[in-house]
Amino acid sequence: MLAYIIRRVFQGAFVLLIVGFIAFCMFRFMGDPLESILGQEATALDRIELRERLGLNDPIVLQYGRFVGNAVQGEFGISYRNGVPVAELISQRLPATLELALVSAVLALVFGIVLGVYTAIKREGWLANSIMSLSLIGVSLPTFLIGILLIWIFAVELGWLPSFGRGDTGSLFGIQTSLATVSGIKSIILPAITLGLYQMTLIMRLVRAEMLEVLRADYIRFARARGLSERAINFSHALKNTLLPVITIIGLQLGQIIAFAIITETVFQWPGVGLLFINAVQFVDIPVMTTYLLLVGAMFVVLNLLVDLLYAVIDPRLRVAKR
Amino acid sequence: MLHRPTITIATAVAMALAGMSSANANTLRWASSGDSLTLDPHAQNEGPTHTLAHQMYEPLLQRDMAGEIIPALATSWAVTDDPTVWRFTLRQGVKFHNGADFNADDVVFSINRTRAPNSAMKELLTSVVDVKKVDDYTVDLITEGPNPLLPANLTNQFMMDEDWTKANGAEQPQDFDNGGDNFAVRNVNGTGAFKLTSRVIDEKTVLTANEDYWGKDEFPNEITEIVYTPIQSAGTRVAALLSGEVDFIQDVPVQDLARVDGTDSLKVNSAPQNRTIFFGLNVGDEDLTNDNVDGKNPFADLRVRQAMNMAINRAAIQRVVMRDQSQPTGIIMPPFVAGWTEALDALPEGNMDGAKALMAEAGYEEGFTVTLNCPNDRYVNDEAICQAAVGMFAQIGINVNLDAKPKAQHFPLIANKETDFYMLGWGVPTFDSEYIFNFLVHTSSDDRGSWNGTRYSNPEVDSMIVSLGSEVDLEKRAGTVAAIWETIQSEVIYLPIHHQVLNWGMANNIEFPVQPEDQPHFKFLTYAQ
C-alpha cells in the first residue's frame, strides 16, 4: 500500500511539471505583461529595459526552469498586478474558494442524494416528475446565467440576500471564514447554489439511475420477501450500494467545483482564487497564473489519489484485488 | 431582515443599525469595475490606482471635478527669471496621517522617487533634471529646457513622507523582478482627506475621513467613511446599485442606463470623458502584410484614407452602437485639450458617392481586403463599433476582416507595429495637444511616438513637435499646435470616431458631477439636504 502511495506521489509530481510547462508555453499567446505593467506613457526604451529585467526575452524552457527552481524553494514570485508575493495572495484567497466549494459540495451532496432517492422511490409521483424536469435547468443553464438570475430575484427584486462579496468574516475554530457571521452566511447562499446546482442535479440523476438499477436486483427482492420494512430496504440495502459510483463522481466533481468557481466568483465578486486567476489572465500576470494552475493541478492529483484510497476502504473486493 | 429567527439576532441587528446611523451618518459605498493595483503611489500609472491614491495622497497641484488645475500641497507656482526653473511655494501646517509635518524635504524626496528607474510615473517628468529645496516651504524644479507645461505633469505625482518611507525601507518604488516586497504597497501615509483603515485586495478597502485634513473647510468633506468594493461583472455591479447595497458606481453599462435612471432612488450623471476613440492606418509601409493588394499599400494613398473617413457613419454608430452615449468627432483630441476648436471637431462630410469616386480615382474601384485589429475588453462597446465600421467600409468596396482580441493581446500589436489597421482610444492627462503629438504623431523612435502605429513620419512635423516642449511664448506655441493639427487633419492618418461619455450611477441624495478623467475626488461630494 505504501509503495503504491509513493508511486502515485511521484506520478503526481511529474504531472505537475508537465502542467506547469504547458501553462508556460500558453502564456505567450495570452498577450504581453508589459502592456499592463507599464502605463501608456512608457517609451520603447522602457519596454526593452523591463522586458530584459523580467527575463521575458529568455527561451521558455529557461524561464520555466527558473520558475520551478524558485517554486521548489517555496518562492513563487511577485504578482505583476498587485505587487505582493503570489504565495501570500493565494493563501489569502484560498479559504474563500475552499469555503465556497465546501458549502456547494455539501448542498449538492445532501440535496442530490435525498432528491435522487426520492425520485427513484416515487418514480411516478407528480412531485418527483416535476423535480426531474426542473433538474434539466440545472444541467442545461450556464453558471453565469443562473448567478445573474439568482441575483436578480433574491438581491434586486426581493432584497433578501446580498448580490456580491463575502460579507464579514469571523473566526471559527481558528479559521477566518464567512460561515462565522450572519452577513457571511447570507452572502454565501447565492454563490453556493449557483456553483453547486450543476453538481446537485448530476448527483441526483446518478443516484436515481443507480437506485432504480439496484432496486431491481435479486437481493432487494429477497429482502422484500423477508418482509423487511421499505425504509430498511431503501436506505440500508439499496442506498449503500448506489454510493460507490457517487463517491467517484463527488471526488472528481469537487475538483470541478473549485475549477468552475472561476465563473461563479466573477459573477458574485467572491474574493477567491478563481477571481484572482481571472484578473491575472486579463493582466497577463504570469507568476499568479502559473501558481494557480499548479495549485489546481495538485488538487486534482490529490483528490484522485484520495478517491482511489477511499475505494479500497469502502469496497472490500478492491482491497483483495490490490494485493 | 424580513425573517427574524430569534429575538437575540433581531436585537443585535437593531442595535447594529442604530449604531451605524449615528456614527456613520455619511458612509459612501462605492463600487467600480477594477480595483486599485497597488497603494504605492508611484508603482502604477493607471486610472483606478490613481483614483484611490487621490483620496489619501496628494500631489502639489491637482485637477478638480471639472478638470481645472487647483492648488493642493503647493499654494502657488511660477517660472522664475530663469525659464528652466519652476518655483513651488508649499502649503504650511500640513500633516501626514501619522502626524509628521509636510515640508520641502518630503517634496524633494517624493519627486526623486517618482523619477527612480522603477517608477511608473517617471515618463511624465522626463524634462526634470533636478529638484532643489530652497527653504522649508519652497522647492525648485529644474528642467532640461524651458517647460511651460510642467504643472500639468504634476497632477498625479503624489507626495510621500520622507522619514516614514525611508524608515520602512520603501525608498524605491516596487521592483517586480527582485522578488522584493515593498512596505508602501500595503500601507499609506499621505496628507489626503481620507486615511486607510483596512484593505483586502479585490475585496474591500475602507477609508475614514482625516480629522486633521488641512482642507477641512476648503472642501465639502461631507463623507465620514468610504467603503470601496470592486465589482467586475457589470450585471452584478448594476444589481448592487439597484438593490441599494452600494451608493455610487463608476462605469454604468450603456444598456443599463435607462434602468438605473428610471429607478426612483437612483440617478445617472453623464459627461464627456477625456478619451477619444479612433482607427489608425499604416500609411508608411511600402506594402501591407494584412491585405490582399500586392506590392502596394492602399493606405498610403490619401484618397483611400479620405474615402474611408467619409464612409464612417458616425451618427449611426452613436445612435445604434452607443445608444447616444458618445460624441461623434472629426478629430482625435478630446474637447478638454488645449488646441481643441469646434472647427477641428466638425464631422467629416459623410458622402458615399464621393467616397466611391475617390476610391475609383485611387485605382481601387474593385476595393481590397484588409484586417482590422480591435480590442474587445477595453473601450465602451469597442468590438461592436468595429463590427459597425466593417459594414460601412464594405459599402465602398473595402472588405474588412475583423480580428477582435482582449487588450493584453491587442495593444502589443500596436506597440510592436504588427497591425496595419487598428482601433485605439486616447486620453490626455496633461490636457494639452503636445501629449497627443508626442505619442501618436511623432515618428516612432526610442523616446517619442511609442503609440504611433501608423508608421507616419514627417520630419517637418517632428521638429515642430519637439519645439513645443521648450516654447515659452504661449501664443507662438498655440500657433505651432494649430499648424500641426492642420497637417494631421489634411493627411488623415487617423480616422476619428467619437469621444466617450462617462456615466456615473448614484443614489438620488448624492450631488457629484462627473470628472472628465473618471477620477472621483470624494472630498468634493455633497449630500442633498
Side-chain angles (χ1 to χ4, degrees), chain A residues 135-151:
Chain A
S135 75
L136 280 174
I137 295 176
V139 182
S140 52
L141 273 190
T143 314
F144 71 91
L145 210 64
I146 295 175
I148 288 287
L149 209 69
L150 290 179
I151 290 177

Side-chain angles (χ1 to χ4, degrees), chain A residues 41 46 53 88 267 279, chain B residues 45 123 175 186 232 236 435:
Chain A
E41 283 94 358
D46 293 334
R53 277 202 301 141
E88 180 191 321
V267 171
N279 286 324
Chain B
N45 184 4
E123 283 84 12
D175 186 358
R186 308 145 197 260
Q232 267 157 280
T236 314
Y435 185 89

Side-chain angles (χ1 to χ4, degrees), chain B residues 290-348:
Chain B
N290 302 313
D291 71 347
N292 70 344
V293 183
D294 281 332
K296 266 204 302 190
N297 174 358
F299 294 154
D301 194 313
L302 175 63
R303 290 165 296 191
V304 172
R305 283 157 14 214
Q306 284 169 334
M308 291 172 82
N309 207 16
M310 286 158 81
I312 301 175
N313 186 343
R314 293 166 176 84
I317 292 178
Q318 179 196 27
R319 197 177 59 245
V320 180
V321 182
M322 305 301 291
R323 307 198 191 194
D324 291 328
Q325 296 303 311
S326 71
Q327 287 189 336
T329 180
I331 194 160
I332 59 166
M333 163 170 56
F336 309 92
V337 173
W340 181 90
T341 64
E342 209 154 313
L344 283 171
D345 206 328
L347 294 187

Side-chain angles (χ1 to χ4, degrees), chain A residues 24 32-38 46-60 62-64 66-67 70 77-81 283-287, chain B residues 44 118 174-180:
Chain A
F24 249 82
D32 193 341
L34 298 191
E35 294 306 323
S36 326
I37 299 175
L38 295 169
D46 293 334
R47 283 207 180 85
I48 294 168
E49 269 175 32
L50 186 64
R51 194 179 293 279
E52 193 57 47
R53 277 202 301 141
L54 294 179
L56 295 172
N57 286 327
D58 299 338
I60 298 272
L62 195 67
Q63 289 186 40
Y64 182 54
R66 207 164 36 216
F67 177 81
N70 288 334
I78 297 264
S79 156
Y80 293 166
R81 178 168 175 266
F283 200 88
V284 199
D285 191 344
I286 293 175
Chain B
Q44 289 281 357
N118 292 337
Q174 177 151 44
D175 186 358
F176 292 103
D177 68 327
N178 270 345

Side-chain angles (χ1 to χ4, degrees), chain A residues 13 16-17 19-21 24 62-78 85-87 90 286-295 298, chain B residues 179:
Chain A
L16 286 188
L17 269 180
V19 167
F21 186 68
F24 249 82
L62 195 67
Q63 289 186 40
Y64 182 54
R66 207 164 36 216
F67 177 81
V68 172
N70 288 334
V72 169
Q73 300 167 35
E75 181 64 60
F76 293 94
I78 297 264
V86 176
I90 293 208
I286 293 175
V288 171
M289 282 193 287
T290 322
T291 314
Y292 173 82
L293 289 174
L294 284 180
L295 183 79

